[in-house]
Amino acid sequence: MDLNRFFSFFNNRSNDETEENLSGFKKTPYFKIGVFTKLIINGLSFKKQVVMFFENSDGNLDMKDVDLMGEFMMYHRAWYWISQLDWTDEEWLNDLRRSSDDELLTALKLSIDFFEDEEEFERCAFLKKIQDFVENYLAIPE
């Protein structure tokens, strides 16, 4: 591999062009599905780290409240991204197929459990529809 050639790829682009490409990518369904998944999957690990940090720094804090608030923020922020799914948009459906894997299924199931506890049943129904789509897609032999 020619590293000079590889790194020249980045040097030939202006910051504006790179930012424009990144901004465009952030608007894609693929990005939004990925953010949803990573927020849930990585958020569980991050939440544990935050709780441990606060346990060690301030003994007066109620750690249950810190844990619940972290969980609330994580699931609601993840919801923001996945709630933009448009069942009538072929790009969304193609990117949902492309993103279908065990991590997405886990994130969906955990989110459904969370929103059931919150009695947010419309959200549960929306997420369940996505879960069914992903499970059906994964069940199709290639």
Side-chain angles (χ1 to χ4, degrees):
M1 173 187 262
D2 182 359
L3 291 179
N4 289 329
R5 183 172 176 219
F6 175 77
F7 287 114
S8 71
F9 172 76
F10 298 103
N11 294 336
N12 290 337
R13 294 177 179 243
S14 70
N15 284 341
D16 291 339
E17 182 183 358
T18 302
E19 214 164 293
E20 185 177 315
N21 288 340
L22 184 57
S23 178
F25 179 65
K26 286 181 178 180
K27 295 176 185 174
T28 66
Y30 187 72
F31 177 83
K32 294 173 183 181
I33 295 165
V35 170
F36 166 79
T37 304
K38 293 303 178 189
L39 276 171
I40 302 301
I41 299 301
N42 295 338
L44 296 173
S45 173
F46 179 72
K47 185 180 76 159
K48 289 177 189 173
Q49 292 173 352
V50 169
V51 168
M52 284 176 35
F53 171 78
F54 282 111
E55 278 178 337
N56 294 330
S57 66
D58 187 351
N60 296 329
L61 284 176
D62 182 356
M63 295 320 300
K64 185 173 190 229
D65 289 342
V66 172
D67 186 51
L68 291 174
M69 183 51 76
E71 190 172 81
F72 178 89
M73 290 172 48
M74 176 184 70
Y75 283 106
H76 282 269
R77 189 64 186 148
W79 168 256
Y80 166 79
W81 292 101
I82 201 68
S83 69
Q84 296 175 45
L85 187 147
D86 180 356
W87 290 104
T88 65
D89 184 337
E90 198 59 38
E91 183 181 7
W92 263 103
L93 298 179
N94 287 335
D95 286 350
L96 189 53
R97 287 181 195 99
R98 196 168 80 161
S99 301
S100 292
D101 62 14
D102 290 337
E103 277 193 346
L104 176 57
L105 276 176
T106 299
L108 289 164
K109 290 174 183 178
L110 290 169
S111 297
I112 291 168
D113 289 344
F114 174 81
F115 287 116
E116 278 179 346
D117 290 345
E118 296 290 310
E119 298 184 5
E120 296 271 359
F121 301 117
E122 295 83 11
R123 290 182 182 193
C124 293
F126 185 84
L127 293 166
K128 179 65 173 138
K129 186 175 178 180
I130 300 169
Q131 178 187 340
D132 291 345
F133 180 92
V134 170
E135 287 175 337
N136 288 334
Y137 178 74
L138 291 175
I140 297 171
E142 294 183 30

